[in-house]
Amino acid sequence: MTTLREIPPQEAQPDDADLLLVETAAGTRTTTRGNLLKNARTETTIISDTILNGEIAMVTFAMPRSVEILAVTSSGPARIRLYSTINAQFNDVIRAITTRPTAGAGIILETIHETAGTINLDPHAHGSNMENPPAPELYATITNTGDTAALTVTLTYLEREHP
């Protein structure tokens, strides 16, 4: 006959140096408890200078080298584009809103906000900084499509590449 017994809680938390085996579709890998906890949702926000209707602000988001972007929030009407390299940003800056981007051009996402609010991405947008060497930042172009304003843009994401 099997008996059940209560297992006492751990008195001390394990430190981040404890190695764990993680099973994934790609196979087994080792990681630390700290890395597993890094996959919490995170937000990064940027506020542009005051820009007129139709004007563009080129900005840089400080964030991990590789991310899964869940949502984009804007404080007002705007077109927001996110890029993997600064060259991709410069090459795409004059592309009309009605023109589709070229495949492989380094564009991670593009959202059009008709009003202030959040666009939940489904499927999520995956992107990485593809500079050499990779930097912990992604480049964005914000086009004001409303009244003159400083626009606040927030990206909600999961970190995908742990240094």
Side-chain angles (χ1 to χ4, degrees):
M1 175 176 188
T2 304
T3 60
L4 298 176
R5 64 183 175 88
E6 186 176 326
I7 299 173
Q10 288 183 318
E11 292 183 23
Q13 292 292 342
D15 65 20
D16 286 345
D18 289 348
L19 288 180
L20 303 171
L21 289 177
V22 178
E23 295 285 335
T24 67
T28 303
R29 66 181 175 90
T30 60
T31 189
T32 64
R33 292 179 197 275
N35 278 346
L36 288 177
L37 297 175
K38 285 183 181 177
N39 285 339
R41 289 181 185 193
T42 306
E43 292 184 341
T44 184
T45 299
I46 211 155
I47 302 171
S48 74
D49 292 333
T50 300
I51 49 180
L52 302 171
N53 180 288
E55 283 191 332
I56 294 170
M58 296 173 78
V59 298
T60 302
F61 281 96
M63 55 196 311
R65 290 176 196 77
S66 294
V67 294
E68 176 180 347
I69 301 166
L70 310 175
V72 180
T73 302
S74 178
S75 64
R79 174 188 185 196
I80 299 164
R81 295 173 277 174
L82 195 64
Y83 304 94
S84 60
T85 66
I86 200 152
N87 282 339
Q89 181 186 35
F90 283 120
N91 292 337
D92 187 64
V93 75
I94 62 169
R95 180 174 54 85
I97 200 167
T98 55
T99 303
R100 289 184 148 215
T102 304
I107 300 168
I108 296 168
L109 67 79
E110 178 172 9
T111 57
I112 310 294
H113 299 257
E114 294 180 359
T115 62
T118 300
I119 295 177
N120 295 317
L121 304 177
D122 192 15
H124 300 155
H126 294 259
S128 301
N129 179 293
M130 297 304 290
E131 300 290 2
N132 188 13
E137 59 193 20
L138 292 176
Y139 314 98
T141 300
I142 303 167
T143 306
N144 184 357
T145 58
D147 294 333
T148 299
L151 293 169
T152 301
V153 176
T154 301
L155 304 176
T156 304
Y157 66 90
L158 298 173
E159 181 177 357
R160 287 294 173 228
E161 179 180 347
H162 305 295

